[in-house]
Amino acid sequence: MGFWIFMLIMDLLLPFTMIGFGRYFIKKAPKEINSVFGYRTSMSMKNKDTWEFAHKYCGKVWYVCGMVMLPITVIFMLLVIGKNEDCVGSIGASCIIKSVDVEI
């Protein structure tokens, strides 16, 4: 049961991170255009207007994707509760890999 809890926590990190950064970017973009933090593309960094629009749009996408991934991850992990560690590890790893695929 301890391994299942560990895998559940690890699997939920990505959806919660996407929800958190999505809400943050919807409310406010980083103040200055920079190459360290934020949604950095050549188009988003052209001027302040495109920088703010890109963050608002990206924030909405990340928020929605995180909200969709959250219940899906929980459902898949509930399906393997009480199973052996190999099964839990395989399903947990699949959830993480699919979450990263959705993000990219």
Side-chain angles (χ1 to χ4, degrees):
M1 186 66 161
F3 183 66
W4 181 85
I5 293 170
F6 171 76
M7 286 304 294
L8 178 66
I9 292 169
M10 292 299 110
D11 287 343
L12 293 178
L13 281 177
L14 191 58
F16 280 128
T17 301
M18 290 180 73
I19 291 168
F21 275 109
R23 288 187 59 159
Y24 177 77
F25 284 157
I26 289 171
K27 292 183 181 196
K28 62 179 179 176
K31 294 200 183 291
E32 294 182 21
I33 298 173
N34 63 71
S35 59
V36 178
F37 178 71
Y39 181 69
R40 302 172 316 271
T41 64
S42 59
M43 288 299 292
S44 68
M45 296 173 75
K46 282 193 182 261
N47 60 45
K48 189 73 170 162
D49 291 333
T50 58
W51 180 253
E52 290 176 3
F53 173 80
H55 279 81
K56 185 172 258 188
Y57 184 79
C58 177
K60 289 177 186 177
V61 170
W62 278 15
Y63 182 77
V64 169
C65 286
M67 291 298 278
V68 168
M69 286 184 337
L70 187 65
I72 292 171
T73 301
V74 171
I75 289 169
F76 275 104
M77 289 306 291
L78 286 175
L79 292 174
V80 296
I81 194 167
K83 305 279 187 197
N84 63 7
E85 287 186 3
D86 290 338
C87 182
V88 172
S90 297
I91 296 298
S94 297
C95 288
I96 292 172
I97 290 169
K98 287 299 176 188
S99 296
V100 170
D101 285 345
V102 168
E103 186 177 331
I104 294 173

